[in-house]
Amino acid sequence: WSRGVLFFAATASALQAMSRPAVVVVGSCNEDLIVRGDHLPRPGETVEHRTFEACPGGKGANQAVQASLILGGNVEIVACVGRDAGGARQCAEL
C-alpha cells in the first residue's frame, strides 16, 4: 500500500488549531472515467468513443461533498488516494 497511497502528516499544534468537523467521512475517493459512444458494444465489437471525461468520484467523496454543502463546509474526509495524476486531482478537488 505504501507505494500507491499518499499519506498526510501534520504537527500536533497544527491538529489542535484545526476546528472540530461536524462530520468525518471515512470512505472511497476515486476518479470516475466516463466514455460515451454511439451505442453499447455487442460481444466482441470495438466501439469508438465520442467523448471521454475524468471526474472526481467515490462513495465517500460524494458523501463528503454533499454533507459539506448541507453543513456549510464543516466536513472532513479520510480516504486513500493513488500516488498518481488521478490522486493529485482528487486532493485538489476536495
Side-chain angles (χ1 to χ4, degrees), residues 3-90:
R3 287 186 314 139
V5 178
L6 292 175
F7 293 97
F8 299 94
T11 64
S13 60
L15 290 173
Q16 290 171 350
M18 295 171 64
S19 64
R20 188 174 191 169
V23 174
V24 176
V25 177
V26 179
S28 62
C29 186
N30 55 267
E31 187 168 59
D32 291 342
L33 305 177
I34 302 167
V35 179
R36 291 184 176 89
D38 292 327
H39 64 277
L40 291 174
R42 293 179 206 71
E45 179 185 16
T46 300
V47 176
E48 291 192 29
H49 69 282
R50 283 187 288 124
T51 62
F52 174 81
E53 182 181 358
C55 58
K59 288 182 182 180
N62 293 340
Q63 291 172 353
V65 168
Q66 290 304 310
S68 178
L69 292 172
I70 293 168
L71 299 173
N74 198 11
V75 176
E76 298 287 334
I77 184 168
V78 176
C80 293
V81 297
R83 194 186 308 241
D84 59 3
R89 281 189 292 274
Q90 286 294 314

